[in-house]
Amino acid sequence: MFPRLRISPTSLRRWSLTRPAPSRVALAAAGLTLALLVSITVATTIGPADIRFGEVWASVGSRLGLGGSPLSALRDGIVWELRLPRVLTAGAVGAGLAIAGAVMQATTRNSLADPYLLGLSSGASLGAVTVLVLGAGVLLPVAAFAGAIVALVATLLIAGAGSSLAPGRTILAGIAVSSLGASLTSFVIFWTATGDSYREIIAWLLGSLAGADWSAVFIAGSALLLIGLPLMVGGRALDAFAFGDTSAAALGVNVARTRLLLLIGTALLTGAMVAVSGSIGFVGLVLPHAVRLVVGTRHRTLLPLAALTGAIFLIWCDTAARTIFDPRELPVGIITAIVGAPVFVLLLMRSRRFS
Amino acid sequence: MSSLVAQNISVVLGGRTVVDDVRAEFSSGLVTAILGPNGAGKSSLLRVLAGVDRPASGGVSWEHEDWFALSRRDRAREAALVEQDAQAELPLTVRMAVTLGRTPHASVFAGPAPEDAAIIDDALADVGITAFADRQISTLSGGERQRAHLARALAQQPRLLFLDEPTNHLDVGAQLATLALVRRLAQANDLAVVTALHDLNLAVTFADRVVVLDEGRVAAAGHPIEVLTPELIESVWGVSATVLAHPRTGSPVIVFELPDGPAT
């Protein structure tokens, strides 16, 4: 006798009724993951030297010990030393900024919030510009990260003085720190910068991935894993903030602690991304909205999908930035705005859900 | 019968005592209205009772146990709060808003529990907004939105339900419908309902008990029509009141005039 497997029609129906959303979400996540892998590969093939799709995987495979590379040393170097690190950095930065933006918007309950809200971008800029002007460009990631953290601490101290980081107060504190950082940056540029460093500074301020190497991949990738993933897991707490602090507290959330942890997590993630790429605008502000318009507000769904979309988006923006006016490069921040703004307007007009 | 007992609660905000030595008892199955002029401390008291804020002094007991000895999450499994004019900044469907009620019952790491969908469907049906489940909450009318918030509170499966002026900004029909719904929910689920209210006639119609606050202190408490005498209304709200009998139903109706006579 075979044991009989009994599945009643009602239990099947109940299962499908109670779990419709996860399967759809899983499908979207799987589709986007595939799109991300294809994007990484295809973007790596694009550029002045012709690299074929298969050659990318052959080069990667040989590094992972799966047989010798069939590519010449030069072509292998182009894939492994130049293009792949840049594409991977773009992906990690895009994912990180999208997560940071979505978390920041929910934590402060402000649609206009972006990852740089707490003065991070201007703090990082001040640090970066200072070392560029001093001619110590190698220290740039460290200086940018340090600047971002100093700005964060200043903002939290101003906002947290005697309160539980009320959103309005936090935003205003961020604006104050941003303005101060921006004016100090302008002062440094105005006082000291000359032709070459000026150009370098402007490119960095607008956001650029031109300098991305494996150390950038390491910084952005580990920030994404160590900070981005926990932020995504904390998504459920963010949902509870939808109707404000009191509501969240009445749902059992420790509002002050949760907000502080989320703000610090977001800031560290953003600081790491800024350190490798400068302040790339638009991704963290608009991508979370765009994904929200399509998949809804639930953070368990929103954050992973926004991360995947952000990665794909920035990979293609950066590919455009380095190829359209080849051999000259555009700062990728220009492309993200040029491409992203009309797409967002389109989504906004097509959707009545955004009010 | 379970009861929540406020034991000499005081709340201090910005150096001012807004709730002063309040003692009161709230029982399951009953609707208790907290009344009082603006600034009398109704919302502050409600936040303490709901377990959102701790009192500056005094305590709260629920079923003879210290309410604040429970974790925040455990309190949220027992008590739900519907705030005044709670608005979402980001787009949110009604179902998603109601789903938030499951927050204290789920772990951050696990996904939604299998029984959640049924609980959410029941909550939507209990307040009669199943048809709106997939609409944006911002597109609902005031009364419908208030029902969505009630559904969110029900999804918490609470035994205590706190409402802060649930009839605020609602038209008269929606006011009556909302409070009738609250009453029905209290009786059906054996909930202890505590609601801040402004309208004394709504309190007379829908509340089993009232607690009248005046400058943070309990001015009177008990059965609505026994408590809301013309003398008490004059001393707490500063208006002259007369209690009439409704010409058709005979139930008491309070009418008001300014102390120095009717305006002409």
Side-chain angles (χ1 to χ4, degrees), chain A:
Chain A
M1 270 304 269
F2 293 103
R4 281 200 307 180
L5 185 62
R6 292 185 54 164
I7 301 174
S8 71
T10 40
S11 73
L12 266 182
R13 196 174 326 123
R14 174 159 286 276
W15 190 85
S16 64
L17 273 178
T18 50
R19 303 207 161 231
S23 60
R24 230 181 25 226
V25 170
L27 207 64
L32 283 172
T33 307
L34 189 68
L36 177 60
L37 289 175
V38 170
S39 296
I40 291 171
T41 317
V42 174
T44 309
T45 66
I46 297 174
D50 236 358
I51 307 282
R52 285 190 303 278
F53 200 90
E55 290 178 311
V56 176
W57 288 110
S59 172
V60 171
S62 75
R63 299 285 168 161
L64 297 175
L66 305 172
S69 174
L71 283 70
S72 68
L74 178 66
R75 293 167 71 78
D76 192 63
I78 289 174
V79 171
W80 189 256
E81 299 300 335
L82 292 179
R83 292 201 191 152
L84 201 55
R86 182 161 181 170
V87 169
L88 290 178
T89 306
V93 170
L97 290 179
I99 295 171
V103 171
M104 196 64 99
Q105 284 160 4
T107 315
T108 60
R109 300 184 72 224
N110 191 316
S111 310
L112 294 177
D114 76 355
Y116 310 120
L117 187 75
L118 303 181
L120 295 176
S121 133
S122 71
S125 301
L126 183 58
V129 166
T130 307
V131 294
L132 285 177
V133 163
L134 294 174
V138 280
L139 289 176
L140 200 146
V142 180
F145 188 73
I149 297 308
V150 169
L152 165 73
V153 171
T155 302
L156 291 183
L157 284 179
I158 297 170
S163 78
S164 65
L165 294 174
R169 212 177 147 82
T170 308
I171 292 169
L172 290 177
I175 289 174
V177 171
S178 285
S179 312
L180 182 65
S183 60
L184 287 177
T185 305
S186 304
F187 176 78
V188 173
I189 296 173
F190 182 77
W191 204 246
T192 55
T194 51
D196 274 357
S197 69
Y198 191 76
R199 197 182 168 81
E200 202 181 354
I201 287 167
I202 293 297
W204 194 87
L205 287 180
L206 287 169
S208 167
L209 290 156
D213 51 14
W214 281 105
S215 68
V217 175
F218 178 77
I219 294 172
S222 43
L224 193 59
L225 283 178
L226 298 178
I227 309 167
L229 278 183
L231 273 179
M232 286 202 277
V233 172
R236 188 158 194 135
L238 282 171
D239 289 340
F241 280 81
F243 291 104
D245 287 9
T246 302
S247 231
L251 290 170
V253 176
N254 186 334
V255 170
R257 195 185 64 189
T258 304
R259 176 171 289 134
L260 185 67
L261 284 177
L262 289 174
L263 287 182
I264 289 177
T266 309
L268 292 176
L269 183 59
T270 309
M273 299 313 171
V274 170
V276 299
S277 67
S279 357
I280 298 173
F282 196 86
V283 180
L285 172 65
V286 172
L287 245 158
H289 284 307
V291 177
R292 210 178 269 122
L293 286 173
V294 178
V295 304
T297 322
R298 187 169 216 175
H299 287 85
R300 183 183 300 283
T301 315
L302 171 68
L303 293 177
L305 296 187
L308 287 167
T309 315
I312 296 169
F313 179 73
L314 198 57
I315 285 173
W316 286 111
C317 284
D318 184 55
T319 305
R322 66 184 165 86
T323 52
I324 289 179
F325 295 106
D326 185 55
R328 279 189 61 180
E329 271 210 23
L330 281 180
V332 67
I334 295 178
I335 305 279
T336 55
I338 288 178
V339 177
V343 171
F344 183 64
V345 169
L346 201 71
L347 270 173
L348 205 54
M349 284 174 14
R350 281 181 52 179
S351 172
R352 288 160 184 272
R353 299 166 67 190
F354 194 81
S355 52

Side-chain angles (χ1 to χ4, degrees), chain B residues 21-42:
Chain B
D21 201 29
V22 165
R23 275 184 289 176
E25 185 168 347
F26 308 92
S27 304
S28 53
L30 297 185
V31 176
T32 307
I34 299 182
L35 306 172
N38 291 329
K42 301 188 291 292

